[in-house]
Amino acid sequence: MKKIFVSILLSILLFSCNKKSETIDSKTLNEEFDNYKEKFVIDLWQLNPDWAANQGYHKLDSVLVISDSISIKKQLDFSHAQLDSLQHYAIDGLSDNNIIDYYIIKNQLQGSIFRIDKLRSYQWNPAEYNVCGAFAEILNGKYDTAEVRLHNFSLKMDAIAAYYEAAKSNIKNPTLEHTALAIAQNLGGLSVFEKDLPIALAKSKLPESEKKVIKHKAKVAINAITTYANWLKGLDNPTPRSFRIGEDLYKEKFNLDIQSSYKADTIFKKAVNHKKELHKKMFILADRLWPKYMKSEFKPLDSLSLIKMVIDKISLQHTTPKNFQSAIEKQIPELAEFVKEKDLLYIDPSKHLVVRREPDYMAGVAGASISAPGPYDKNANTYYNVGSMSGWSVEKSESYLREYNDYILQILNIHEAIPGHYTQLVYSNQSPSIIKSILGNGAMIEGWAVYAELMMLENGYKNSDEMWLMYYKWNLRTTCNAILDYSVHTKSMSLEQAMKLLVREAFQQQAEAEGKWTRVSLSQVQLSSYFAGYIEIYDLRERLKIEQGTNFKLKQFHENFLSYGSAPVKYIKELMLKEI
């Protein structure tokens, strides 16, 4: 009995000492975790130098990773080893900031393992192999002298031939869609070596002998890229893999990529219900606008037909292919002025946004996008990439411009630029956590841009029935993106069914609908990120409005939300609710 009592007493004393030790060591634990994060990032860049350069870390610019079996095993070993390392940090002792970073790192590592072991896209997606973008970034960079960048360019070219040989060894039973994209993007990217490089060399101060060596290497690179494209063209692939990844892979990829509070099928159901709500709102507006645009024409009994007729009439108001980019450039300062006037959030005027024609190596997936500088290169330009209609038929160009008519073009600019992607990514780069910047959550990033569209109109931007009708049409696109993405990859939705959803129910032009089909056949889950992120951000704002009452300030909400960097919305929500 005495022995038992002594044992119990000893256990109590040890427990008390441990509790005291945990309290004392909390600061040390966070310092150790901060050190771990720094080393994790450096090790991550060693394996992914192109990703590092994209984030503004240029110490590895001369390295081109050859994606052979050894490299793939290194990626896998790294992920497993880092997951083991994470287990050494008691999550209860970490700060709020580090708890989010912990989960983001863990998710990134699990996602890497999933892509190698289960998704295995490196085998069936030939478009994953393309050096042109990384080399273009070196030429376009402003982070060092032209001579230093060209020297790295030269060293990096040494591995191009081996890079594409490894690609050919990896590819097995690729999809037809990704094969076509790989051919188009690689051949399109040849201009980096055929046109851009000679111009850069001519302007540089490199000795002629070094210029001659670089030009020779460029010929080797051009041959390797062309050979790869021709190899893909002649590939014997009688039973190509379907681009659809199936329900199990889709749901797992959704959980890893989106990191939402909701499951994939829940987002799908929410999107279906939201589509019905939008149709009701659109009918009210279209019916009210009917006399203005349709005069005395007979009203169809079918509500979707009535909405489409009004939308089609308004969509005739659009710019020309020649002026498409300049129309976008003109609107950017107008948006910035509106945000400032309404005091919606602070926008740093020193962070430049440059509207440019979309580079050829990026073409084929989206018509407009943002290329933002990474956290190591915060002062570099952000580029608004605008798709070109060069070579398009008159009919295709007209269809595209009706889709991006005078009203929707403004909503597109809100989404891509101000206060959408451009603004959010500037804030993300100011985040004290580099983890949240480099491992940014796509659903938060896209969700913010979609939320920004509604928020601007709520605050009176170009207020009119036409603008609201077109906004609902645009928001319907976001909603139907999620429906399309889930349905195509998990329910085997056909092209015919997709066209019905996009053209009839989402009122999209044929060219836009066909482009979206191309996109859903080349990507998975990403199209759902817009709606998933938007719903969570909007729900959070409405909840805070209720809980804070008269203390709720919109600008404060926006700046506080964005201050957490590009973290998953569910974690930002936890911290913002914890604050109040």
Side-chain angles (χ1 to χ4, degrees):
M1 194 66 186
K2 186 177 180 181
K3 287 180 181 179
I4 293 172
F5 175 77
V6 171
S7 178
I8 292 172
L9 182 61
L10 183 61
S11 297
I12 292 170
L13 288 170
L14 285 171
F15 177 77
S16 300
C17 289
N18 285 337
K19 290 295 286 183
K20 186 177 180 181
S21 175
E22 285 175 12
T23 304
I24 294 171
D25 287 342
S26 179
K27 181 181 178 182
T28 304
L29 177 67
N30 280 281
E31 288 175 352
E32 288 178 356
F33 190 68
D34 286 337
N35 292 333
Y36 164 78
K37 287 191 297 183
E38 288 182 17
K39 186 175 186 308
F40 167 80
V41 171
I42 296 302
D43 291 345
L44 184 69
W45 294 156
Q46 294 292 331
L47 290 173
N48 304 279
D50 287 347
W51 182 8
N54 183 259
Q55 297 297 314
Y57 183 90
H58 296 290
K59 294 181 180 180
L60 302 168
D61 278 10
S62 63
V63 179
L64 178 64
V65 172
I66 298 167
S67 187
D68 54 17
S69 58
I70 296 173
S71 172
I72 293 169
K73 185 177 183 301
K74 279 184 181 178
Q75 293 276 1
L76 208 53
D77 290 346
F78 171 78
S79 297
H80 284 297
Q82 295 296 329
L83 283 173
D84 288 342
S85 296
L86 280 178
Q87 294 181 14
H88 296 122
Y89 301 97
I91 199 164
D92 292 342
L94 295 176
S95 66
D96 290 341
N97 179 61
N98 275 336
I99 287 173
I100 294 182
D101 284 356
Y102 178 99
Y103 283 126
I104 290 176
I105 293 171
K106 183 178 180 181
N107 186 83
Q108 167 65 26
L109 298 169
Q110 290 173 334
S112 181
I113 294 169
F114 165 77
R115 284 186 291 274
I116 294 172
D117 282 349
K118 294 184 179 180
L119 189 63
R120 305 179 76 84
S121 58
Y122 67 92
Q123 294 182 339
W124 50 261
N125 180 6
E128 288 190 6
Y129 305 99
N130 189 340
V131 300
C132 302
F135 280 92
E137 292 301 325
I138 294 176
L139 288 185
N140 295 331
K142 306 295 182 186
Y143 52 87
D144 214 325
T145 65
E147 291 70 32
V148 169
R149 288 184 284 109
L150 285 167
H151 181 67
N152 286 329
F153 192 105
S154 177
L155 292 174
K156 196 180 186 79
M157 280 196 291
D158 291 340
I160 288 179
Y163 173 94
Y164 281 107
E165 286 304 312
K168 288 189 279 187
S169 297
N170 289 341
I171 293 168
K172 296 174 178 64
N173 195 32
T175 79
L176 295 178
E177 294 78 8
H178 291 93
T179 300
L181 179 67
I183 294 168
Q185 289 189 331
N186 272 278
L187 292 179
L190 284 174
S191 59
V192 173
F193 301 92
E194 293 176 334
K195 297 178 182 177
D196 301 343
L197 178 59
I199 293 171
L201 284 173
K203 292 179 180 178
S204 78
K205 298 176 182 177
L206 289 175
E208 288 301 319
S209 57
E210 190 170 351
K211 289 181 180 180
K212 186 177 179 180
V213 170
I214 291 175
K215 287 177 183 177
H216 173 72
K217 288 183 180 181
K219 289 180 181 179
V220 175
I222 291 166
N223 180 65
I225 296 168
T226 306
T227 300
Y228 177 64
N230 290 335
W231 178 79
L232 289 173
K233 289 177 183 177
L235 193 62
D236 184 19
N237 191 19
T239 54
R241 184 196 190 281
S242 170
F243 66 82
R244 307 172 198 272
I245 63 172
E247 186 172 4
D248 291 342
L249 285 176
Y250 182 91
K251 288 184 174 180
E252 189 168 355
K253 192 172 192 289
F254 181 93
N255 291 338
L256 289 165
D257 289 2
I258 306 297
Q259 298 182 72
S260 172
S261 302
Y262 303 115
K263 298 295 183 184
D265 52 357
T266 304
I267 287 294
F268 171 72
K269 290 170 186 173
K270 283 180 174 289
V272 170
N273 290 333
H274 191 60
K275 175 175 66 111
K276 294 174 183 175
E277 294 171 9
L278 289 173
H279 281 163
K280 291 176 184 177
K281 292 177 180 179
M282 294 176 79
F283 175 73
I284 293 171
L285 288 173
D287 191 52
R288 195 156 66 212
L289 288 167
W290 183 271
K292 180 177 178 180
Y293 289 95
M294 308 309 295
K295 309 299 182 186
S296 58
E297 282 195 44
F298 176 76
K299 277 187 183 180
L301 297 176
D302 175 58
S303 62
L304 294 184
S305 298
L306 185 149
I307 296 168
K308 183 180 186 304
M309 289 176 71
V310 175
I311 284 176
D312 285 348
K313 198 74 172 179
I314 298 173
S315 297
L316 295 175
Q317 304 171 42
H318 61 70
T319 187
T320 63
K322 181 181 177 182
N323 295 330
F324 187 65
Q325 183 170 321
S326 61
I328 289 175
E329 290 172 328
K330 181 182 176 183
Q331 287 175 11
I332 303 304
E334 295 176 6
L335 293 170
E337 183 58 34
F338 181 85
V339 170
K340 183 178 179 181
E341 176 191 330
K342 295 290 183 177
D343 200 28
L344 300 176
L345 76 165
Y346 174 72
I347 297 177
D348 188 343
S350 69
K351 308 300 182 185
H352 299 295
L353 176 63
V354 179
V355 181
R356 69 176 180 182
R357 181 184 178 277
E358 182 182 66
D360 292 337
Y361 60 84
M362 294 174 62
V365 181
S369 63
I370 287 287
S371 296
Y376 297 97
D377 199 15
K378 297 176 182 180
N379 295 320
N381 291 333
T382 298
Y383 292 99
Y384 185 162
N385 309 302
V386 180
S388 170
M389 285 168 264
S390 176
W392 287 18
S393 67
V394 174
E395 294 77 14
K396 185 176 181 181
S397 295
E398 177 64 18
S399 178
Y400 186 81
L401 289 170
R402 288 184 185 185
E403 183 67 29
Y404 292 95
N405 56 65
D406 289 348
Y407 295 97
I408 283 185
L409 192 59
Q410 296 179 75
I411 301 170
L412 172 70
N413 291 332
I414 292 171
H415 180 101
E416 296 292 345
I418 298 173
H421 286 321
Y422 156 72
T423 305
Q424 185 270 320
L425 291 168
V426 168
Y427 270 85
S428 182
N429 274 345
Q430 307 309 314
S431 169
S433 165
I434 195 171
I435 295 298
K436 297 180 185 68
S437 295
I438 65 174
L439 303 180
N441 177 256
M444 181 275 176
I445 295 168
E446 294 296 355
W448 169 263
V450 175
Y451 163 77
E453 301 157 13
L454 174 62
M455 183 272 292
M456 289 285 278
L457 264 68
E458 286 176 329
N459 284 276
Y461 180 77
K462 300 292 179 73
N463 188 34
S464 68
D465 284 349
E466 287 89 343
M467 182 59 94
W468 274 105
L469 179 62
M470 287 300 178
Y471 163 74
Y472 288 139
K473 175 184 182 296
W474 181 266
N475 191 248
L476 195 56
R477 180 214 293 251
T478 295
T479 306
C480 288
N481 278 351
I483 296 172
L484 176 73
D485 193 48
Y486 186 85
S487 299
V488 165
H489 286 288
T490 72
K491 296 177 177 291
S492 299
M493 174 183 265
S494 67
L495 172 60
E496 184 181 0
Q497 291 170 326
M499 289 300 108
K500 178 177 179 292
L501 170 71
L502 299 174
V503 176
R504 174 163 169 74
E505 298 182 50
F507 312 106
Q508 293 180 11
Q509 293 291 321
Q510 190 68 28
E512 177 65 24
E514 289 172 356
K516 195 57 58 69
W517 175 261
T518 299
R519 189 166 168 184
V520 78
S521 64
L522 294 172
S523 66
Q524 320 86 29
V525 174
Q526 197 273 336
L527 279 171
S528 292
S529 63
Y530 303 81
F531 185 78
Y534 159 69
I535 284 295
E536 287 205 271
I537 295 171
Y538 180 81
D539 288 350
L540 171 61
R541 188 191 74 176
E542 296 307 290
R543 179 174 173 181
L544 287 174
K545 275 185 178 180
I546 294 170
E547 295 195 13
Q548 291 182 301
T550 56
N551 291 325
F552 179 84
K553 298 292 184 291
L554 189 61
K555 182 181 182 181
Q556 183 181 354
F557 166 74
H558 291 155
E559 294 180 349
N560 194 13
F561 180 84
L562 293 178
S563 71
Y564 290 100
S566 301
V569 181
K570 67 178 180 180
Y571 298 134
I572 298 176
K573 177 172 67 175
E574 286 179 16
L575 293 185
M576 290 184 71
L577 291 174
K578 183 178 178 182
E579 286 179 10
I580 63 168

